[in-house]
Amino acid sequence: MSENEVKKEEKSAADSLKEQLFYKSKSVFETAPDEVDAAYEYAKGYMAFLDHGKTERECVTEAIRLLTEKGFRPYTFGTEIKAGDKFYYNNHGKSLAAWIVGSGTLEDGVYLAAAHIDSPRVDLKQHPLYEQDGLGFFKTHYYGGIKKYQWTTIPLALHGVVTKADGTTVTVTIGEDDDDPIFYITDLLPHLAGGQMAKTGGAIITGEQLTILIGSRPYEEKTGEAIKLNLMKILNEKYGMVEGDFMSAELCAVPAMKARDIGLDRSLIGAYGHDDRVCAYPELTALMATEQPKHTVMAILADKEEIGSEGNSGMQCAVYFDLIADMAGTLGANEAVVRMNSKCLSADVNAAYDPNFPEVHERMNVCYVNHGVVITKFTGSRGKSGSNDASAEFVGYVRNLLDGANVVWQTSELGKVDAGGGGTVAKYIAQKNVEVVDLGVPVLSMHAPYEVVAKTDVYMTHKALVTFFAE
Ligand code: MN
Ligand code: MN
């Protein structure tokens, strides 16, 4: 044995000890190469879901379509239930709970997964329509946390509903078909942007400057506000609406871009609204893949997370736990015990490490694209303020579960300490005495009009939820 070989052997002993004692996050390509094809295949369904669901309302509609095909039916309070029953509850058309009644006692707890289906966007104001200097515009008020300048000079589509004076509601979708017109927010040419570019990022484009260009052709007969009149006439012909109807409308401008593969290797998905439909869709597919669960398993698709989970469609609304209480009442179970024994994966995204912006991440505690589903023990900002901060025991439980099912996973915090922060629906679920931890997909360019995720991570999130629902 040469001296070199001896050294090699010693190193290998150290290496094996390292392997035994150290932790290293690895990519799905390394640890589960056999699953990559399935991940690519799974992405097709997800991308179709994205193209059908650009608002929370559309996500609810599409989810119900998928669930109905799989035998789920609408629940009404007081319904008799039995093991194996599959239900959904459509909450005001804007949020949804879907579940399968377990074979065990309800007092063993409900296994919940909660994602949100609203995404940052640009909403129309209640008096939006005007013309100025030969152009027609909509005034807007943005929804959720956005970098306002990112929403200029991209194709926008208009989605939403208008409730007219007679009480009827019409649905609006313009800009998704290839021959539809699109809408647009202008920005300044670089030649004249010296003053603008000297401003700080938040002021480059102000909220009031996010006005949407919607036309320029005047009504044929000469009159004041002829462009506005012509635009209103088009809306009236198409939707039967008059200007006052905007006051009772919810119209949202969203990117008029479809989900697409990104990269020569097609490993990534670009789309509007990954946050958080990239967790909502795996919840649905995991629920639909579940047969005869022991626990009652429930997928929640909540609205308004991006503005604080408020309103009667947000996670703070009572309805989700009213549904559980209603079932407890029907089955003669103690509702407080049901909640106490319930477990929840708060399915939301985290910020993936971006090599172009290393300064905001702490490399040991960040999630990486393609390293699998990410468990986020705590969120919040500064000293974990506003965070659920899951218990060691519950994180340990989830960790064991995922390892046992060969789910590739990682952990992360949201950026460096003091770099900023954020929150999820987890804390509102924890208020009900439910064990809860955040789990979801790493995202690049989160909250941008077009975000990026990796196909392998989406698939691992589906697998994680399938495993959880099978508990
Ligand atoms: Mn989110
Ligand atoms: Mn978000």
Side-chain angles (χ1 to χ4, degrees), residues 116 118 274-276 305-306 347-350 423-424 446-447:
H116 66 92
D118 62 316
H274 281 311
D275 176 9
D276 184 31
E305 192 276 343
E306 298 295 358
D348 207 345
V349 299
N350 202 330
T424 66
M446 195 196 295
H447 283 208

Side-chain angles (χ1 to χ4, degrees), residues 67 80 82 105 114 136 145 172 205 244 272 296 339 354 360 404 435 461:
L67 290 163
E80 288 298 321
K82 60 175 192 313
T105 164
V172 174
I205 296 289
Y272 164 64
T296 294
R339 285 189 283 107
D354 185 338
V360 300
E435 287 281 17
T461 303

Side-chain angles (χ1 to χ4, degrees), residues 250-280:
E250 286 177 15
L251 292 168
C252 319
V254 297
M257 299 182 273
K258 291 191 177 0
R260 302 281 297 266
D261 286 346
I262 290 185
L264 293 170
D265 55 14
R266 296 179 175 269
S267 59
L268 306 160
I269 307 167
Y272 164 64
H274 281 311
D275 176 9
D276 184 31
R277 291 147 196 166
V278 75
C279 297

